[in-house]
Amino acid sequence: MRFGIRTLDEVTVSGKTVLCRVDINQPVDRKTGRLKSVNRILACVPTIRELADRGARVVLMAHQGSDIEYKNFYTTKPHAAVLSEALGQEVKWIDDVCGPAARQMIRELQDGEILLLDNVRFVSEEQTLFENKLHLSHEEQAKTLLVEKLAPLGDLYVCDAFAAAHRDQPSLCGFEQLLPSAMGRLFEKEFCTVSQIMEAPERPCVFVLGGAKIADAFLMMRTVLARGVADRILTGGLVANIFLISQGKQIGQGSLDFILKSNYGEFFDRAKELYALYGERIVLPADLAWVEDGCRREAAIADMPEAVAAVDIGSQTVTQYRDIILSASTVFINGPMGVFEQEPSEYGTSAVWQALADTGGFTVLGGGDSITATEKYKLTDKMGYICTGGGALIRFLTGEELPVVKALRHGAALPEKE
Ligand code: ADP
Ligand code: MG
């Protein structure tokens, strides 16, 4: 047991039907069915490989997009092809989630065979809309359609979906009520890596926080500062802009308008309070950049023009952040330093990312856009650990127990089936 959860070392899988929840959610082009990235699919290959090699009948459950990410709502068919290739073994697929056809196919699986079911979120109780409206307890989740139909066919439930561990949905938290459960290898590795940062990071431990997920970023900053986890927080992106404005700095009307338009106005007070408590550990940019007639312009905070929108950190700030990152022993990164998608505002992110690649400290990076930036600058091999989760990672660092962790601890108490 690790963290009160069974690992794959502690379960017998040979000849058993293993219901395995993975997170292989990737950006997809719905017109062509082409997956724009496959990093998450490849990340769960070791667990699937191990289960099949140990003689399990592997049933994979996964989501692709959702109500809140509708542009990526799609079938899991392309994923089966990617998995088959990566595993060098056919991964069967069926356009059904828990209906009679899917159940028949599960019953016919042989030892060592793998079946991927269609998108679990085609079943309504898996939608985030339902999660937010209904707040089903884990006992109630065990009585939903998906769990009632599939649990009787399974001997063991394995969750390898750390990236979805902050979701409270039947495929993630319902099966553990009925089936003995374990975490997969990827889940175990990601959970250990982030727990290590939270409990005993090598110091100095520096957080680099940018991007636009303001609510979670503020919750997380409070926790890591209050618990003394973070020795320094280097701010960028919207996080930095909110702090600067909360300190009464004038950084351009466009910056303020963007924050108000995004409904982040309430965070000025939170930023002010956090800065009053922990200001000596929160580092704010000394200069910022904006775009004028398609060209990049920079100024020190005191000299920012009134009519602009700050979209990146400036070069003085980059130099300062680089030095701090180079002398850190642990660096946690979430969120780009600016609008890195566009050339005039990508310098802050590209230069800070290069510092992450150059530091001798252990770097842990998570978040969809942060990973996209890492791929864009071809630094994937240079990072210490790239976490498949964004939301789950941040939520973990706020100090809350993740719903899936709670459910897996419950499932650890159920005896294995003979
Ligand atoms: P991640 O996906 O890595 O967790 P987020 O989703 O929180 O990161 O933030 C990424 C987004 O934030 C990017 O689309 C980027 O363009 C945007 N962003 C970064 N800095 C700014 C800024 N100063 N103003 C507006 N948007 C920004
Ligand atoms: Mg993002």
Side-chain angles (χ1 to χ4, degrees), residues 211-213 334-336 340-341 367-370 372 390:
K213 275 201 290 294
N334 178 252
F340 73 101
E341 296 91 338
D369 294 290
S370 302
T372 304

Side-chain angles (χ1 to χ4, degrees), residues 178-195:
L178 305 173
L179 292 177
S181 313
M183 57 183 164
R185 297 298 181 194
L186 176 65
F187 196 111
E188 184 182 347
K189 188 166 172 204
E190 306 218 301
F191 196 15
C192 281
T193 306
V194 296
S195 299

Side-chain angles (χ1 to χ4, degrees), residues 303-321:
D303 304 324
M304 284 293 286
E306 270 176 41
V308 301
V311 285
D312 195 12
I313 57 173
S315 13
Q316 265 189 53
T317 307
V318 164
T319 307
Q320 185 197 6
Y321 285 10

Side-chain angles (χ1 to χ4, degrees), residues 6 17 19 150-157 174-182 410-412 414-415 417:
R6 280 197 194 90
T17 300
L19 302 179
L150 296 187
L153 302 178
D155 300 300
L156 178 74
Y157 174 80
F175 287 98
E176 292 95 324
Q177 295 292 316
L178 305 173
L179 292 177
S181 313
H410 185 278
L414 300 182
K417 291 189 182 177

Side-chain angles (χ1 to χ4, degrees), residues 148-397:
E148 285 211 316
K149 294 291 182 193
L150 296 187
L153 302 178
D155 300 300
L156 178 74
Y157 174 80
V158 170
C159 187
D160 210 24
F162 187 76
H166 59 310
R167 297 265 169 241
D168 210 338
Q169 295 168 346
S171 69
L172 291 153
C173 302
F175 287 98
E176 292 95 324
Q177 295 292 316
L178 305 173
L179 292 177
S181 313
M183 57 183 164
R185 297 298 181 194
L186 176 65
F187 196 111
E188 184 182 347
K189 188 166 172 204
E190 306 218 301
F191 196 15
C192 281
T193 306
V194 296
S195 299
Q196 167 74 22
I197 295 193
M198 203 60 161
E199 278 148 34
E202 295 244 357
R203 295 189 184 278
C205 175
V206 173
F207 280 62
V208 180
L209 280 188
K213 275 201 290 294
I214 299 306
D216 282 341
F218 272 87
L219 269 180
M220 163 187 160
M221 277 190 281
R222 174 173 292 279
T223 308
V224 298
L225 288 164
R227 294 191 185 179
V229 177
D231 296 311
R232 286 278 182 87
I233 296 184
L234 309 181
T235 61
L238 277 191
V239 177
N241 290 1
I242 290 178
F243 270 113
L244 288 166
I245 294 173
S246 81
Q247 292 304 301
K249 308 287 183 204
Q250 191 293 118
I251 57 165
Q253 187 62 33
S255 313
L256 178 61
D257 290 347
F258 187 84
I259 290 164
L260 296 178
K261 190 183 78 187
S262 314
N263 287 324
Y264 293 143
E266 57 169 300
F267 288 96
F268 291 130
D269 283 345
R270 304 261 293 273
K272 208 169 173 174
E273 189 195 340
L274 215 55
Y275 200 77
L277 283 169
Y278 307 109
E280 77 287 356
R281 284 189 277 152
I282 302 172
V283 187
L284 305 184
D287 56 351
L288 291 171
W290 69 96
V291 180
E292 210 171 281
D293 300 327
C295 293
R296 180 184 178 90
R297 300 264 186 270
E298 292 190 1
I301 300 299
D303 304 324
M304 284 293 286
E306 270 176 41
V308 301
V311 285
D312 195 12
I313 57 173
S315 13
Q316 265 189 53
T317 307
V318 164
T319 307
Q320 185 197 6
Y321 285 10
R322 182 178 167 85
D323 287 346
I324 297 174
I325 290 169
L326 290 185
S327 56
S329 293
T330 308
V331 191
F332 172 86
I333 310 98
N334 178 252
M337 296 291 99
V339 182
F340 73 101
E341 296 91 338
Q342 285 154 23
E343 195 271 328
S345 48
E346 75 167 330
Y347 173 70
T349 304
S350 72
V352 165
W353 258 234
Q354 189 58 51
L356 298 171
D358 294 340
T359 182
F362 181 58
T363 48
V364 180
L365 175 141
D369 294 290
S370 302
I371 293 176
T372 304
T374 311
E375 288 168 353
K376 183 173 181 190
Y377 305 124
K378 303 197 165 48
L379 298 173
T380 304
D381 301 339
K382 301 271 169 50
M383 299 296 172
Y385 191 72
I386 296 182
C387 199
T388 55
L393 184 62
I394 304 290
R395 199 72 66 78
F396 178 85
L397 292 169

